[in-house]
Amino acid sequence: MAKVFRRNRQNDESTESAETSPEADTVTDDSESVVVTPGLDGPYDISEAPNDNVVRIDFGSLKIPGVEGMNVNLEVDEQSDAVVAITIVLGEGGLQLQPFAAPRSGGFWEEVRAELGEGITTSGGAIDEVDGRFGVEIKASVPAVNEEGQHALQNVRFAGVDGARWMLRGVFLGAAAVDERAAEVFEDIFAGCIVDRGAQPMAPGEMLPLQLPEDAVATPAEGEEIDEEDRPPLDPFERGPEITEIR
C-alpha cells in the first residue's frame, strides 16, 4: 500500500494542533475514573475495539478504516519529520484526522472548540456551533487563499470526541463540510477509527505519535516526482503524490 509525504509549510486553523498552554502539566492522574463522550458508536478506544472485520490502516496511535477509492495524504512537519495530520480524500470531499492526549476528566473537546472558535473569528472567519452526529460541532468559514491566489472563505466543519485520555479531532473539508450526503462516508470513517493512547505521560493537547505503516511506499501522481528537499504544502484537493486507491 503506497503512502505520501506532504510537508507542513504553513499553519492554518484546519491543520494546527489543539491549542493549549505551553506550560500544561503532563497527565499523571492515576485514578481509574475516565470521562468520555457519552452515547457514541465510535470512534473507539483500543481497549474497546470492535471485532467487525473492517480492514484498517495502522498509523500507530490511530487505526483508520479503509474505504474503496479513497486516497490518504500525510502531512509531515519539516523540522521533526513527524506525521502531524492524516487527510482522507474521496471524491470532492476530505477528512483530516488528528489524535491528541487529553485529561482523564474529559471535556477537552469543549475547551478546544472554544479556542478554535476564538481563533477563527479573530482571523476574520465565522463560526456556528451545531449539534451533529458526534455531539456539538463547529461549522465555520475560515480565511483561505484559492487557486488564483485570491483571499476567500473556505467552509469547514470541526468535530471532536473525548476518549480515555485522548481526543480525536476531525476536520471535514470540501463537499463533506457542506453536503450531508457527501459527509456520510467521512462520518463513518471517523466513527470507525480506533485510538491507541498508550500509557506514556503526555500533556493535554500533545499530538499522539503517528507512524507510517510498514508497507508504506510513496507514489507520485502521473508525471510528477517527489522531491525530498522541496515537498508541497498539504492541500487535500490539489492533485499530487497520493496513496494508491484501496480496493
Side-chain angles (χ1 to χ4, degrees):
M1 184 177 296
K3 308 291 181 253
V4 55
F5 294 81
R6 309 298 291 273
R7 293 286 180 176
N8 179 18
R9 294 189 178 277
Q10 60 186 12
N11 291 326
D12 57 38
E13 290 298 333
S14 65
T15 60
E16 66 184 4
S17 297
E19 304 252 349
T20 58
S21 168
E23 291 81 25
D25 295 330
T26 56
V27 178
T28 57
D29 180 8
D30 293 328
S31 65
E32 294 298 325
S33 178
V34 177
V35 180
V36 302
T37 303
L40 295 181
D41 186 16
Y44 304 94
D45 185 76
I46 187 68
S47 65
E48 300 175 345
N51 184 18
D52 52 15
N53 296 319
V54 172
V55 176
R56 290 177 171 84
I57 308 173
D58 188 351
F59 290 97
S61 64
L62 186 62
K63 294 89 166 67
I64 302 174
V67 174
E68 181 178 355
M70 82 179 194
N71 295 317
V72 182
N73 293 343
L74 306 184
E75 184 178 1
V76 180
D77 182 80
E78 282 188 325
Q79 296 183 345
S80 66
D81 278 336
V83 179
V84 296
I86 301 172
T87 301
I88 310 300
V89 182
L90 183 63
E92 297 299 318
L95 171 64
Q96 183 192 80
L97 297 165
Q98 291 178 299
F100 299 97
R104 291 178 180 271
S105 57
F108 191 56
W109 167 235
E110 183 178 359
E111 296 180 26
V112 171
R113 196 171 66 241
E115 293 174 358
L116 278 172
E118 181 179 356
I120 292 171
T121 54
T122 300
S123 63
I127 68 164
D128 184 22
E129 288 198 350
V130 299
D131 289 326
R133 175 173 172 180
F134 304 101
V136 180
E137 304 175 354
I138 291 179
K139 287 188 175 181
S141 298
V142 300
V145 178
N146 62 22
E147 295 179 354
E148 289 74 32
Q150 300 172 329
H151 291 276
L153 292 176
Q154 178 184 10
N155 292 319
V156 295
R157 170 188 161 200
F158 295 90
V161 170
D162 289 306
R165 297 192 302 140
W166 54 261
M167 188 269 289
L168 180 62
R169 189 179 77 176
V171 186
F172 294 80
L173 305 162
V178 295
D179 186 327
E180 291 184 1
R181 293 192 63 182
E184 286 180 358
V185 63
F186 295 100
E187 290 180 352
D188 289 343
I189 291 172
F190 187 76
C193 286
I194 296 172
V195 180
D196 187 354
R197 161 65 173 78
Q200 68 275 23
M202 298 181 71
E206 186 176 349
M207 188 91 174
L208 297 185
L210 296 169
Q211 61 190 36
L212 291 173
E214 293 182 357
D215 59 350
V217 179
T219 57
E222 183 177 353
E224 189 172 0
E225 296 182 356
I226 297 178
D227 188 338
E228 290 290 331
E229 298 298 327
D230 187 22
R231 301 179 189 274
L234 176 67
D235 182 350
F237 305 110
E238 176 184 352
R239 185 164 180 80
E242 58 190 29
I243 283 183
T244 302
E245 291 184 359
I246 295 176
R247 300 182 182 278

